[in-house]
Amino acid sequence: MAIRIAVASGKGGTGKTTVSLNLAARFGEPVQLADCDVEEPNDNLFLKCEHLASSEVVMLTPQVNKDLCTGCGACGEICQFRGIISLGSKAIVFPELCHGCGGCFRVCPTGAISETPHQIGKISIGQSGNIRLVEGRLEVGVSLVPPVIRAVREQLLEDMPAILDAPPGTSCPVVATLRDCDYVLMVTDPTPFGLHDLKLAVAMVRELGLPCGVVVNRAGDDRVGLYRFCEEQNLPVLLSIPDDRLIAEVVSRGGLVADALPEYGLMFSELSEKLKKRVRPTGGKP
Amino acid sequence: MKKDIIDELLVISGKGGTGKTSVTASFAVLAGKAVLADCDVDAADLHLLLSPDIRERHPFFSGREAIIRQQDCTGCNVCMDVCRFDAVREFEGKYRIDPVGCEGCGVCVRFCPVKAIDFPERLCGEWMLSDTRCGPMVHAQLGVAAENSGKLVSTVREQALEVAVEKEIPLIISDGPPGIGCPVIASLSGVSLALVVTEPTVSGLHDLQRVLALARHFSVPAAVCVNKWDINPEQTERIESAARSAGAEIAGRIRYDRSVTQAQLQQKAAVEFESAVADDIRKVWEQTLSML
């Protein structure tokens, strides 16, 4: 099994996508990039991949056969999410609340419940140079994010290294991305918000038992004590990207920093060498 | 005060890190008196600018979690067969539930033939009621790697509404989460207006279109404000024109200015200092107020 590196941050907009893309572009060998920010996937805006394949992400939701339903209430009793209710009457399904656990289908004593696929997202696979991109995209209006992220991960090839571009935050979508990765690269910036949210993200990564390192983006005066925090927590700072308006302009146009500004391209090559030395595949058993 | 005359203004962004919290804090100062709600419960930052005095803390329980009692488990594998979330792990004949993977559906609990699985309530975080210099504030912290952020957001909004009714404050200003998933839907449904703060990048435009589609899906009126607009003026034009085509109003532009970060370092909102960017934010505030 090849290595899997997740790129995460507590705070949004710290540069996860920029780091993921440029790390992939300077990885020096074929690599997979998984866009796990399925609510707002952005990687392909920069890669403009040749499209290879796409598939639907579906969740199995219950359907009730009114002729067989006796209104016994067993389905409503097992459902923890109020996705199906039956109060002395025939069962009613609320698909937007369903988590697809299959509990109602299994407990129904008369076989009145069947499961039908309900589209919640889409997976696209593309290629750009050395990068094989697997993008997940949540359908607008759907609230359940982790199943789409799991579907992205299922499309990853086991024998090619992978970089997983995570969504912001510290809750279930991030956990679904980081689970069973070998290393987490946290991207932050030296602002009060950046440091505060990094602390939350570090607590989360430690809870998951994963090794991690830090990329400081928009580095300049460290007036919040970011580097001191990293030192105290034994978090290696693997790269500091200067606060350079040129980078912001390249990113705003959808350009790759490593290509447009070669001196930064070298920085990402170094980052990828450091990671290859540091990260060992664990096969999902940290 | 009746609930239906209270306006609820939500600040969201689609893309993360576009300046939602900085704008929200400035709005809180400009409003003079409003109830503030931090709905970004998994990376809450508004408290860093508004220095709340915490008055009440409440634990937030939501959902349940399956736990196998090792002494009673016979290793029959039924739990692993029925789990659709890959949460059951087996190691040398021992079965356990990975709490991080457990969805809390209870299917394994029900089907365990020897009833060896407990199903206790799960503590998912806490919510707080505080006082700030701009009015009362309801905020929360989701537990580490916890689930149910949408339900915690709903709790924060319900409490903010209660405070608004009780203290007769007719405006709630909420700082929303990034994205378009569960916590955003929980923040958005039924608000008076969603102000989308975006940035003039290809990602900003792409993410704006998805979040505006979400607002339409829930029939919430939306307005758009481009932050750091001068980083890329052409992209700003494109974003404003896309926003108009999507049926959103334009609330104005805010220039790129390091004094926003300077204010953050002093735990203040940008409008608490005199600057050109503070004037920009004041104009956006007035425009937004006129839409409520």
Side-chain angles (χ1 to χ4, degrees):
Chain A
M1 182 117 175
I3 56 169
R4 291 191 174 181
I5 299 167
V7 180
S9 74
K11 178 170 157 32
T14 56
K16 281 179 300 299
T17 296
T18 301
V19 169
S20 303
L21 283 163
N22 288 286
L23 179 60
R26 288 293 175 277
F27 206 71
E29 59 183 283
V31 66
Q32 305 178 86
L33 178 59
D35 198 340
C36 295
D37 189 358
V38 303
E39 294 174 55
E40 298 289 18
N42 290 153
D43 288 337
N44 197 40
L45 295 171
F46 297 82
L47 292 177
K48 300 165 192 84
C49 282
E50 182 198 342
H51 180 77
L52 299 178
S54 45
S55 53
E56 284 184 359
V57 184
V58 296
M59 195 174 71
L60 293 174
T61 51
Q63 218 169 19
V64 180
N65 181 335
K66 296 263 190 271
D67 297 335
L68 297 176
C69 177
T70 61
C72 73
C75 52
E77 206 173 291
I78 193 167
C79 183
Q80 297 292 314
F81 312 106
R82 293 183 209 149
I84 187 164
I85 54 169
S86 155
L87 299 164
S89 60
K90 311 252 174 196
I92 305 164
V93 178
F94 297 92
E96 67 278 13
L97 296 177
C98 176
H99 285 222
C101 71
C104 56
F105 163 72
R106 289 179 198 278
V107 295
C108 177
T110 60
I113 296 176
S114 56
E115 292 187 290
T116 52
H118 173 73
Q119 191 182 354
I120 57 169
K122 199 170 92 178
I123 302 289
S124 308
I125 298 175
Q127 187 78 36
S128 168
N130 263 343
I131 304 172
R132 175 180 186 262
L133 176 71
V134 180
E135 180 202 82
R137 185 169 281 267
L138 184 76
E139 287 290 298
V140 172
V142 170
S143 70
L144 210 58
V145 175
V148 182
I149 295 173
R150 288 194 286 267
V152 171
R153 301 188 49 150
E154 278 165 18
Q155 294 296 327
L156 291 176
L157 309 173
E158 291 210 343
D159 53 359
M160 194 191 291
I163 297 164
L164 290 84
D165 187 2
T170 60
S171 64
C172 33
V174 185
V175 171
T177 307
L178 268 49
R179 220 177 155 215
D180 301 335
C181 279
D182 303 306
Y183 197 81
V184 183
L185 198 56
M186 308 240 247
V187 186
T188 188
D189 55 25
T191 63
F193 292 177
L195 177 59
H196 175 265
D197 296 353
L198 175 68
K199 288 178 182 170
L200 297 174
V202 168
M204 171 196 62
V205 170
R206 298 245 151 105
E207 177 84 20
L208 299 176
L210 298 172
C212 60
V214 172
V215 172
V216 178
N217 195 11
R218 293 187 276 269
D221 284 351
D222 177 17
R223 292 173 54 190
V224 295
L226 173 60
Y227 289 91
R228 195 178 61 230
F229 170 77
C230 292
E231 208 179 304
E232 283 165 5
Q233 294 286 320
N234 284 320
L235 292 167
V237 176
L238 301 180
L239 173 64
S240 289
I241 304 169
D243 185 12
D244 183 343
R245 194 178 162 123
L246 283 177
I247 296 179
E249 287 174 7
V250 169
V251 171
S252 84
R253 292 192 302 267
L256 271 184
V257 176
D259 292 343
L261 306 167
E263 66 273 31
Y264 294 121
L266 284 176
M267 283 189 176
F268 284 103
S269 299
E270 282 168 24
L271 176 64
S272 106
E273 289 313 311
K274 280 186 193 166
L275 286 167
K276 285 180 197 170
K277 280 196 196 122
R278 207 170 265 274
V279 183
R280 290 286 162 262
T282 57
K285 289 188 183 61
Chain B
M1 181 175 278
K2 286 206 174 127
K3 285 182 182 177
D4 53 7
I5 64 159
I6 295 170
D7 275 321
E8 202 176 347
L9 168 65
L10 170 70
V11 182
I12 45 174
S13 67
K15 181 174 175 344
T18 59
K20 280 181 301 296
T21 303
S22 294
V23 167
T24 306
S26 283
F27 280 11
V29 170
L30 293 169
K33 197 166 192 192
V35 177
L36 310 166
D38 194 342
C39 293
D40 190 1
V41 297
D42 67 317
D45 284 335
L46 190 59
H47 65 280
L48 296 175
L49 299 184
L50 297 182
S51 320
D53 251 334
I54 297 174
R55 297 288 178 214
E56 295 174 20
R57 284 176 180 273
H58 299 267
F60 170 70
F61 288 94
S62 182
R64 292 172 183 275
E65 145 180 45
I67 301 171
I68 299 177
R69 289 192 310 278
Q70 292 302 323
Q71 68 273 23
D72 297 327
C73 173
T74 62
C76 71
N77 205 61
V78 165
C79 52
M80 197 181 265
D81 284 342
V82 297
C83 179
R84 289 197 176 162
F85 305 99
D86 192 24
V88 183
R89 299 278 160 118
E90 186 253 312
F91 186 66
E92 292 176 350
K94 290 276 178 199
Y95 287 74
R96 62 174 191 87
I97 311 274
D98 177 357
V100 159
C102 179
E103 190 83 3
C105 67
V107 174
C108 61
V109 178
R110 165 67 195 258
F111 285 92
C112 174
V114 295
K115 301 283 166 238
I117 307 179
D118 290 331
F119 201 37
E121 268 198 306
R122 171 141 57 178
L123 177 67
C124 288
E126 63 171 348
W127 65 268
M128 292 150 278
L129 175 59
S130 302
D131 288 331
T132 75
R133 61 184 181 281
C134 309
M137 168 165 162
V138 182
H139 48 133
Q141 183 57 58
L142 193 70
V144 171
E147 307 222 353
N148 286 315
S149 55
K151 284 186 189 161
L152 184 51
V153 168
S154 302
T155 304
V156 166
R157 285 185 65 196
E158 282 157 20
Q159 295 301 326
L161 187 59
E162 244 174 59
V163 173
V165 170
E166 188 196 321
K167 303 206 173 202
E168 305 202 328
I169 301 174
L171 177 63
I172 298 171
I173 304 176
S174 303
D175 190 9
I180 60 164
C182 144
V184 182
I185 290 174
S187 305
L188 187 70
S189 58
V191 301
S192 322
L193 179 70
L195 175 69
V196 185
V197 177
T198 186
E199 59 177 32
T201 63
V202 290
S203 308
L205 173 59
H206 170 269
D207 297 356
L208 172 75
Q209 285 172 318
R210 282 169 67 79
V211 82
L212 288 178
L214 187 73
R216 273 200 312 280
H217 184 90
F218 288 99
S219 308
V220 168
V224 171
C225 153
V226 181
N227 191 15
K228 303 183 188 171
W229 73 271
D230 46 336
I231 294 265
N232 189 333
E234 296 79 30
Q235 188 69 6
T236 297
E237 297 284 342
R238 274 193 285 274
I239 285 177
E240 288 176 347
S241 123
R244 281 192 203 94
S245 320
E249 298 203 53
I250 305 301
R253 297 174 175 185
I254 300 171
R255 75 193 71 190
Y256 175 67
D257 188 337
R258 284 171 202 260
S259 71
V260 176
T261 308
Q262 296 305 320
Q264 201 185 100
L265 282 161
Q266 297 178 53
Q267 302 177 336
K268 297 274 193 235
V271 294
E272 289 175 286
F273 299 93
E274 283 309 315
S275 67
V277 73
D279 294 339
D280 290 346
I281 298 173
R282 260 184 221 106
K283 282 184 197 142
V284 171
W285 166 244
E286 278 154 25
Q287 190 64 31
T288 305
L289 259 192
S290 73
M291 296 174 197
L292 279 173

